[in-house]
Amino acid sequence: MVRMRQLAGLIEDAHVMPGIAERLLLDQATDFSYLITAISLLGLSTAGLLYWDFWHNPGDPWRVAGMGAVLFCYAAILASATLWIRQRHPTARRAKRYITFMSQLLLLLGASWSLLLTLLASTAHPAQLSMLYGVMVGCLATPVMVSPALCALAYWLPVSIGICVAVVVSGVADNFAIIDLLSFMLLTGFCILYLNRRLNERAIGAIRLEENAEVIKLLLRDFEESASDWLWEANAALELQPVSPRLSQVARRAAENFTGKLPAALLGPVIERNGTPDPAIARLMRAMDERSPFRDLVVPVMVEGEQRFWSLTGKPILDKRGHFAGYHGVGSDITGQRRQQEQIAFLARHDSLTKLPNRVLFSELLHEACTHAGQRGIALLCLDLDNFKLINDTLGHATGDAVLVAVAERLKGAMRQGDIAARLGGGEFAVILYTSDIEEALSIAARIIERISRPYRFDGQLAHIGMSIGLTMAPKDGKAPGTLMKNADLALYRAKAEGRGVARLYDPAMDQRLQGRRQMQAGLRHALGAGEFYLEYQPIIDLSSRRITGAEALIRWRSPERGLVNPAEFIPIAEETGLINDIGDWVLCEACKTAATWPAPLSVAVNLSPLQFRDPALIDTIKAALRDSGLPPERLEIEIVESVMLESTTHTEYALWQLHGLGVRIALDDFGTGYSSLSYLRRFPFDKIKIDRSFIRDLGYEKDDSSIILAIIGLAERMNMVVTAEGVENEEQLVLLSAYGCTQGQGYFFHRPLPAPRFLEVLRANEAPFAAPPAANAGTVL
């Protein structure tokens, strides 16, 4: 955007915005017409005096020709100026042609004056030379008043040259007079340029001021016509003065009912909590008692039995003696905004399906509980629904969601008042029990299992589901939230391994599972060196063109002993043991090497574990992978999960900005699953948001999911981010996502994950094998 000070300058200045330039040109043309008319009349009278004075002088035909040329130019200028002044609908284009034509006439006028003055000076006697010198000074000074500068300079330049010649041919001027004359000429030239520039600056300022005044008028008009904003006024006794009709409409009270003193006169019955005024109303009362101003103070109001929220601003007014004379203020009904903000805040910290606290809120609550665990003791329960995936696969996701809602209700019913339940995602829940009694905690866990395991009936169909629980005690088993979650997970793993549908207490001597993890760790170390890992690529589709724009790299492990190992099994172990950095480095190099063989501009997306961002060599590793493969940085996309932001450090933030500086694109994976925060989107350089498949799964069935997806897409659009929907599995989802404006999609509806050669075949053949989703997941991305 052009800065305000760059608007100053001549009309031809390229920095002047077109609208202002046209307005300025029209104003200049009109002002110029009136001014040049006066100048022309003076010029005609001056020419007449010269003609009368030199009537008896001997001369030649050239003097008569010069006099005639001057008179002709003045007549043409007067005619043109008069025609312009009489125009009813002038345009900028006509003004430009008019200014150009007048500058040509003025150039001719200046040349005519030059010729005439030179011829007259050559034959003038000393008394006549005095008159000629006065005319010369007038000719030099006149263009200083002319605007635009193009017209002024067109006249000034030939006149200046002619005057110099006339002074020389007069034969009476000495060198000092000529030097002084040249100095005066330079001064007038400078004044023409400087004064024109200053005049244009002021004219542009006046135009802008006029435009701003119009905007203010429109805003005031809009304010007056608003249905939820009003002005209010109170006298020194804090009694409402004339009540605005709009205030009566918003408060749904007649004007005569606004009696008494503020704030009760304005708000009606003051809302109280536990016998005391609401804190916001108390602040309002205190401000009025102190006769102090207040701004955007949100207070609750009861309007016909409905609680609403008003935003009030008030300023005390003083009389001539400085005494308090009352208040002037403005109010608005912000109930809709307030409820929308509350809804957004609730969704950010609660599960949209079950309305239970989500992972981020549960993490805060667990941290708080752990700080007091030494005094009162807590039990942490990790719960997981047994065979929940079977419910989704056999009865559908809608039934699965209904089961989750019912489970949440039964879970809350099985707990005591004051205990906390949360949904962490999928069929995973967590509970904080405030007790130090192990038997009591196990009894509550058994009650939860019994109630959750009762049959569910949906649409005439019975659904059976169980629940397994892992339980740990604090401070007995630890005080840190991370330690307690790990212990509860270990206990849950044991409950699953022992047949499910049971609760198991954390046992520090769970050697069997730990031994299995050690074996998995050893297998992972061997697999990396033995080449047992390989990558598959799931295409990413542009929803508008239905063409492949890239692919997401998915790691696979085919173990000789275990067969095809699900990444969900070995990735957590790799993260816990530190092997994730080596595995991640291999994935980066292999994905870049493969993507380099694809036609440009196809890109490859690689998931990075949160732990990889703790590695100081991560940026160097990515640079090396790009350099060795020859893949341009803009064709590499790094996907990170939201837990990276939750655990963000200065090093993490610096690493993300370094990648952004290299040209590598950064995507936020599984957006909306619990950690989401708008502050993350502002702080970090994201190019893409990937909507988690849990929202896509029931698209078209759940209104909340559609609202969240629309909100995410709208947010991304305003922040110039691409949106990719994960887990697109059917035509209906595709149609809705396209209608919502989603940019990209990936899922089994388009393509399953493909080996590198098969992916190339699909690209070359331009195939689009939209396969139905499989009965079981093909694996988890790294």
Side-chain angles (χ1 to χ4, degrees):
M1 182 179 290
V2 182
R3 295 180 181 177
M4 178 66 76
R5 62 172 178 270
Q6 289 176 312
L7 294 175
L10 299 177
I11 188 63
E12 294 82 10
D13 191 342
H15 291 299
V16 177
M17 292 183 177
I20 296 179
E22 293 177 0
R23 176 78 179 276
L24 182 60
L25 187 61
L26 289 170
D27 290 348
Q28 282 186 328
T30 302
D31 294 340
F32 168 75
S33 298
Y34 285 106
L35 181 62
I36 203 65
T37 298
I39 292 174
S40 298
L41 293 174
L42 178 62
L44 285 172
S45 63
T46 302
L49 290 174
L50 287 174
Y51 179 78
W52 181 266
D53 195 20
F54 284 84
W55 174 264
H56 300 289
N57 279 34
D60 52 44
W62 288 107
R63 187 173 67 192
V64 177
M67 183 70 69
V70 169
L71 295 176
F72 168 78
C73 290
Y74 277 128
I77 290 172
L78 279 171
S80 299
T82 302
L83 288 175
W84 177 261
I85 292 172
R86 291 180 177 179
Q87 284 197 67
R88 293 186 177 183
H89 304 290
T91 63
R93 180 177 297 179
R94 291 180 182 176
K96 187 174 183 180
R97 289 201 303 265
Y98 170 68
I99 293 297
T100 304
F101 176 70
M102 293 296 273
S103 64
Q104 294 169 352
L105 282 178
L106 287 170
L107 180 64
L108 181 59
L109 176 64
S112 300
W113 268 117
S114 299
L115 175 62
L116 180 61
L117 290 173
T118 301
L119 293 174
L120 293 177
S122 64
T123 61
H125 55 73
Q128 290 174 326
L129 281 177
S130 298
M131 181 179 182
L132 286 179
Y133 292 154
V135 172
M136 291 177 188
V137 172
C139 289
L140 280 177
T142 297
V144 173
M145 301 180 291
V146 176
S147 176
L150 176 64
C151 295
L153 293 174
Y155 175 76
W156 172 83
L157 185 61
V159 161
S160 298
I161 296 173
I163 288 174
C164 290
V165 175
V167 170
V168 172
V169 301
S170 68
V172 296
D174 59 14
N175 293 335
F176 293 104
I178 293 175
I179 292 173
D180 187 59
L181 176 63
L182 293 175
S183 300
F184 184 70
M185 289 178 182
L186 292 176
L187 175 62
T188 56
F190 168 77
C191 290
I192 289 171
L193 296 175
Y194 178 77
L195 291 178
N196 266 268
R197 189 173 187 86
R198 294 295 294 169
L199 286 173
N200 284 339
E201 287 178 350
R202 294 183 179 182
I204 290 172
I207 292 172
R208 285 197 168 276
L209 186 61
E210 184 179 342
E211 291 179 348
N212 290 339
E214 290 298 324
V215 172
I216 291 173
K217 288 181 181 178
L218 288 174
L219 291 175
L220 288 175
R221 188 181 308 159
D222 180 68
F223 178 81
E224 289 297 328
E225 294 174 355
S226 171
S228 60
D229 297 77
W230 64 88
L231 300 174
W232 61 272
E233 183 179 351
N235 59 19
L238 295 182
E239 296 171 337
L240 278 177
Q241 292 306 288
V243 176
S244 165
R246 193 168 302 117
L247 173 57
S248 296
Q249 180 183 6
V250 173
R252 301 173 194 171
R253 282 188 283 159
E256 56 270 16
N257 293 333
F258 289 85
T259 57
K261 293 187 176 182
L262 293 178
L266 180 64
L267 306 181
V270 176
I271 295 179
E272 296 185 350
R273 297 179 180 177
N274 300 323
T276 60
D278 181 89
I281 296 178
R283 289 197 298 271
L284 176 62
M285 296 171 66
R286 185 165 56 252
M288 289 185 171
D289 289 340
E290 297 172 355
R291 305 300 191 256
S292 60
F294 50 90
R295 183 178 182 83
D296 297 328
L297 185 58
V298 178
V299 296
V301 183
M302 295 302 296
V303 178
E304 294 184 349
E306 176 190 5
Q307 180 171 320
R308 303 189 67 83
F309 294 92
W310 289 358
S311 175
L312 298 178
T313 296
K315 180 181 180 181
I317 53 178
L318 305 177
D319 58 21
K320 296 180 180 179
R321 293 175 294 178
H323 297 158
F324 175 74
Y327 271 99
H328 281 159
V330 63
S332 60
D333 189 322
I334 62 167
T335 306
Q337 302 173 29
R338 177 67 175 253
R339 289 174 180 169
Q340 186 178 21
Q341 292 171 357
E342 291 175 351
Q343 180 69 8
I344 292 173
F346 181 85
L347 290 176
R349 297 164 62 84
H350 291 77
D351 176 55
S352 61
L353 184 64
T354 63
K355 311 307 181 201
L356 292 175
N358 61 13
R359 188 181 295 271
V360 65
L361 178 55
F362 180 76
S363 177
E364 297 173 4
L365 296 172
L366 181 59
H367 274 77
E368 182 181 356
C370 287
T371 59
H372 305 289
Q375 290 79 31
R376 57 190 304 189
I378 62 170
L380 174 62
L381 282 64
C382 280
L383 306 82
D384 188 67
L385 294 177
D386 300 328
N387 301 319
F388 179 63
K389 187 175 181 305
L390 183 61
I391 296 290
N392 281 333
D393 293 340
T394 57
L395 301 179
H397 292 297
T399 301
D401 285 349
V403 169
L404 289 174
V405 173
V407 165
E409 290 299 321
R410 292 186 183 184
L411 179 60
K412 289 186 288 187
M415 295 163 47
R416 306 166 306 173
Q417 186 175 3
D419 294 332
I420 299 169
R423 183 191 175 203
L424 305 183
E428 300 178 22
F429 296 82
V431 170
I432 299 175
L433 302 177
Y434 290 97
T435 180
S436 58
D437 188 339
I438 295 178
E439 294 301 324
E440 183 180 20
L442 288 172
S443 175
I444 296 174
R447 184 166 69 240
I448 291 173
I449 292 175
E450 188 275 329
R451 293 196 181 183
I452 299 299
S453 301
R454 296 174 184 173
Y456 301 83
R457 183 177 294 275
F458 299 99
D459 297 329
Q461 297 182 350
L462 277 178
H464 295 273
I465 197 166
M467 174 168 281
S468 300
I469 297 179
L471 190 151
T472 187
M473 304 295 297
K476 172 178 171 291
D477 299 327
K479 295 181 179 179
T483 301
L484 293 176
M485 287 296 296
K486 181 180 179 181
N487 294 346
D489 278 337
L490 288 172
L492 176 61
Y493 179 82
R494 179 180 175 183
K496 292 280 189 182
E498 294 183 1
R500 306 187 178 190
V502 294
R504 290 292 178 264
L505 188 64
Y506 167 71
D507 182 2
M510 293 179 175
D511 295 332
Q512 183 177 0
R513 184 165 187 260
L514 292 177
Q515 184 62 31
R517 297 175 73 85
R518 293 192 190 100
Q519 291 175 359
M520 179 76 76
Q521 177 184 348
L524 284 173
R525 293 186 184 278
H526 174 77
L528 194 58
E532 296 176 8
F533 290 119
Y534 66 96
L535 296 181
E536 290 184 345
Y537 300 88
Q538 185 170 32
I540 299 173
I541 309 298
D542 182 274
L543 296 187
S544 60
S545 64
R546 306 296 172 89
R547 302 298 299 272
I548 297 175
T549 62
E552 181 178 3
L554 309 173
I555 189 170
R556 302 290 183 257
W557 177 21
R558 190 176 299 280
S559 169
E561 296 83 15
R562 298 176 176 84
L564 186 62
V565 184
N566 193 319
E569 297 181 24
F570 67 82
I571 292 298
I573 295 177
E575 290 179 332
E576 291 179 10
T577 57
L579 288 172
I580 192 65
N581 288 331
D582 294 334
I583 295 175
D585 293 351
W586 177 85
V587 171
L588 269 170
C589 295
E590 185 69 17
C592 290
K593 188 189 306 179
T594 301
T597 65
W598 301 345
L602 264 67
S603 61
V604 64
V606 178
N607 283 266
L608 291 188
S609 165
L611 297 180
Q612 288 180 261
F613 279 90
R614 300 179 185 177
D615 184 5
L618 174 63
I619 303 301
D620 293 334
T621 300
I622 295 175
K623 289 181 179 178
L626 293 171
R627 181 181 62 249
D628 295 344
S629 65
L631 183 70
E634 61 271 14
R635 292 179 59 191
L636 174 62
E637 185 175 287
I638 297 299
E639 294 187 3
I640 60 175
V641 294
E642 294 175 297
S643 58
V644 171
M645 269 64 68
L646 191 66
E647 304 169 3
S648 64
T649 61
T650 303
H651 172 73
T652 302
E653 188 169 351
Y654 178 71
L656 288 174
W657 280 105
Q658 272 194 301
L659 290 175
H660 180 73
L662 291 174
V664 175
R665 292 182 293 171
I666 304 173
L668 181 58
D669 198 11
D670 297 336
F671 184 77
T673 54
Y675 294 112
S676 302
S677 172
L678 295 180
S679 63
Y680 301 152
L681 301 181
R682 291 196 306 266
R683 285 176 51 198
F684 299 102
F686 293 114
D687 301 288
K688 177 188 287 189
I689 293 175
K690 301 192 74 175
I691 304 177
D692 185 67
R693 67 183 67 243
S694 63
F695 296 109
I696 308 301
R697 180 179 61 197
D698 298 313
L699 188 60
Y701 297 98
E702 286 294 330
K703 184 177 180 181
D704 285 346
D705 287 348
S706 296
S707 300
I708 292 172
I709 291 172
L710 279 170
I712 293 172
I713 292 173
L715 176 67
E717 182 179 6
R718 287 172 175 81
M719 301 184 75
N720 279 335
M721 296 182 188
V722 176
V723 179
T724 300
E726 299 182 293
V728 180
E729 297 183 352
N730 56 57
E731 179 80 24
E732 182 181 1
Q733 294 171 352
L734 174 61
V735 171
L736 286 174
L737 288 170
S738 299
Y740 291 168
C742 185
T743 316
Q744 298 176 348
Q746 67 181 105
Y748 290 152
F749 181 72
F750 302 110
H751 294 280
R752 293 170 178 269
L754 304 170
R758 175 59 181 155
F759 181 76
L760 272 178
E761 291 176 9
V762 170
L763 287 177
R764 290 167 182 163
N766 198 24
E767 296 174 358
F770 298 149
N777 292 336
T780 305
V781 298
L782 173 60

